[in-house]
Amino acid sequence: MELAAALQLGELAAAFAALPVFPLFDTAYFIISVLYLKYEPGAVEMSRKSPFASWLCAMLHCFGSYILADLLLGESPIDYFSNNSSVILATAVWYLIFFCPMNLFYKCVSFLPVKLIFVAMKEVVRVRKIAAGVHHAHHRYHHGWFIMMATGWVKGSGVALMSNFEQLLRGVWKPETNEILHMSFPTKASLYGTVLFTLQQTHWLPISEANLIFFFTMFMIVCKVFMTATHSHASPFAPMENFICPVFFGSVSSGHSSHHHDHHGASHEVSHPPPPPAKSKEELNEGTRKRKAKKAE
């Protein structure tokens, strides 16, 4: 018996999974996405100097996951832009956040209680996108587990994975901020979530898709709302990762630092050669006699 059936949540989960995301939840998704763009240093100045570049960055924030997923599956990366309603809605959100008189719209949507509602609604869309990405890849590659996981992952966190390309549009190059090297909580959660949805899609996880969507969405909402409300960047996965990673992948070795220290120590010795040997007593006496003879002359 499934957990959801035991808790009599099957009908609720089914109704939740069938809930349409357009236009209400998509609007919240676009608002939070463009808000994060406005938080970037220099984004406001860029919107004044080059509105088109600002609009392109906003479209990447709103539709980057679709673009990256289409590239992985060999489809047209601009296919989603045929959805005129979504593009117009995202454009309207971008314009209001950046150019609304007296910043009224920005002040309203960035007000913390209102922002928390939009954050929760965005996670609803994120989980739907992960599930849709896995389902789409399963339809194309029935036994391609890694293709399903890759597609679901970029569907859930494609914007973050494309952050370096988006930075180039803003004239910024920060390779050290690569999302693969420093995964944020949404990127990690999307990765773990796509593994669950892949197992469910291949019938290795005994739970229906609707129930998995419901439970994983509730998990994401609770975590993201709490992190946003407390301005925390600590990952809920950190305790589990700190326990598992040293067991399977080992801890960070200090050998590199000691080698680094030895290398610099050797360089220090080379750059400062030892002093010349002290002169003997005979050499000192001979030098004294020469100085006296020169003085007499």
Side-chain angles (χ1 to χ4, degrees), residues 99-126:
F99 302 104
C100 181
M102 296 185 293
N103 257 349
L104 287 178
F105 187 78
Y106 169 76
K107 292 176 182 177
C108 292
V109 298
S110 61
F111 181 54
L112 186 58
V114 177
K115 183 180 177 181
L116 294 179
I117 297 174
F118 290 145
V119 167
M121 296 172 69
K122 179 181 179 178
E123 297 311 310
V124 174
V125 179
R126 187 196 303 276

Side-chain angles (χ1 to χ4, degrees), residues 35-44 61 166-167 170 174:
L35 270 181
Y36 288 157
L37 170 62
K38 190 166 184 176
Y39 293 156
E40 293 291 337
V44 176
H61 274 259
E166 185 269 334
Q167 288 172 356
R170 293 188 285 111
K174 296 180 179 180

Side-chain angles (χ1 to χ4, degrees), residues 150-200:
T151 307
W153 187 33
V154 300
K155 277 275 192 173
S157 58
V159 178
L161 296 174
M162 294 180 66
S163 59
N164 289 110
F165 179 72
E166 185 269 334
Q167 288 172 356
L168 287 177
L169 290 179
R170 293 188 285 111
V172 180
W173 175 240
K174 296 180 179 180
E176 69 277 2
T177 61
N178 192 323
E179 188 69 16
I180 301 295
L181 297 176
H182 308 284
M183 288 191 186
S184 60
F185 167 72
T187 304
K188 287 185 179 181
S190 298
L191 178 59
Y192 298 148
T194 194
V195 172
L196 294 177
F197 279 100
T198 300
L199 294 175
Q200 185 279 326

Side-chain angles (χ1 to χ4, degrees), residues 241-263:
E241 292 171 348
N242 293 337
F243 175 76
I244 295 178
C245 290
V247 175
F248 289 96
F249 305 108
S251 58
V252 179
S253 174
S254 60
H256 177 74
S257 60
S258 62
H259 175 74
H260 187 72
H261 174 74
D262 294 341
H263 174 74

Side-chain angles (χ1 to χ4, degrees), residues 1-10 214-215:
M1 181 181 294
E2 294 183 356
L3 177 61
L7 297 176
Q8 298 181 352
L9 293 176
F214 178 78
F215 287 118

Side-chain angles (χ1 to χ4, degrees), residues 26-36 93 97 105 109 118:
D26 275 345
T27 302
Y29 184 90
F30 297 152
I31 288 174
I32 296 300
S33 298
V34 179
L35 270 181
Y36 288 157
V93 169
I97 288 180
F105 187 78
V109 298
F118 290 145

Side-chain angles (χ1 to χ4, degrees), residues 36-292:
Y36 288 157
L37 170 62
K38 190 166 184 176
Y39 293 156
E40 293 291 337
V44 176
E45 291 78 4
M46 180 190 66
S47 66
R48 304 303 190 266
K49 295 179 181 178
S50 178
F52 180 69
S54 177
W55 178 82
L56 279 179
C57 292
M59 295 304 103
L60 282 181
H61 274 259
C62 294
F63 307 116
S65 56
Y66 298 101
I67 295 173
L68 199 54
D70 287 340
L71 287 174
L72 288 180
L73 295 176
E75 300 176 358
S76 173
I78 62 172
D79 183 65
Y80 192 80
F81 286 88
S82 63
N83 192 339
N84 297 326
S85 301
S86 295
V87 175
I88 292 174
L89 179 60
T91 302
V93 169
W94 162 76
Y95 185 85
L96 289 173
I97 288 180
F98 277 93
F99 302 104
C100 181
M102 296 185 293
N103 257 349
L104 287 178
F105 187 78
Y106 169 76
K107 292 176 182 177
C108 292
V109 298
S110 61
F111 181 54
L112 186 58
V114 177
K115 183 180 177 181
L116 294 179
I117 297 174
F118 290 145
V119 167
M121 296 172 69
K122 179 181 179 178
E123 297 311 310
V124 174
V125 179
R126 187 196 303 276
V127 177
R128 297 289 187 87
K129 290 165 64 177
I130 295 173
V134 172
H135 182 78
H136 187 190
H138 179 261
H139 180 72
R140 295 276 302 270
Y141 305 92
H142 295 289
H143 303 289
W145 283 35
F146 291 101
I147 299 177
M148 297 180 210
M149 288 188 285
T151 307
W153 187 33
V154 300
K155 277 275 192 173
S157 58
V159 178
L161 296 174
M162 294 180 66
S163 59
N164 289 110
F165 179 72
E166 185 269 334
Q167 288 172 356
L168 287 177
L169 290 179
R170 293 188 285 111
V172 180
W173 175 240
K174 296 180 179 180
E176 69 277 2
T177 61
N178 192 323
E179 188 69 16
I180 301 295
L181 297 176
H182 308 284
M183 288 191 186
S184 60
F185 167 72
T187 304
K188 287 185 179 181
S190 298
L191 178 59
Y192 298 148
T194 194
V195 172
L196 294 177
F197 279 100
T198 300
L199 294 175
Q200 185 279 326
Q201 194 70 42
T202 53
H203 306 291
W204 282 84
L205 190 63
I207 187 173
S208 67
E209 185 179 29
N211 292 332
L212 184 57
I213 289 175
F214 178 78
F215 287 118
F216 194 69
T217 302
M218 293 302 106
F219 168 76
M220 291 294 295
I221 289 176
V222 170
C223 292
K224 278 295 292 180
V225 168
F226 176 78
M227 294 173 67
T228 304
T230 59
H231 303 284
S232 172
H233 297 284
S235 172
F237 303 119
M240 178 183 66
E241 292 171 348
N242 293 337
F243 175 76
I244 295 178
C245 290
V247 175
F248 289 96
F249 305 108
S251 58
V252 179
S253 174
S254 60
H256 177 74
S257 60
S258 62
H259 175 74
H260 187 72
H261 174 74
D262 294 341
H263 174 74
H264 279 275
S267 301
H268 179 75
E269 293 175 359
V270 173
S271 60
H272 296 279
K279 294 181 179 181
S280 62
K281 184 176 181 181
E282 292 79 6
E283 291 175 343
L284 291 174
N285 293 335
E286 180 67 23
T288 303
R289 286 196 298 269
K290 287 181 179 180
R291 286 195 299 273
K292 289 181 178 180

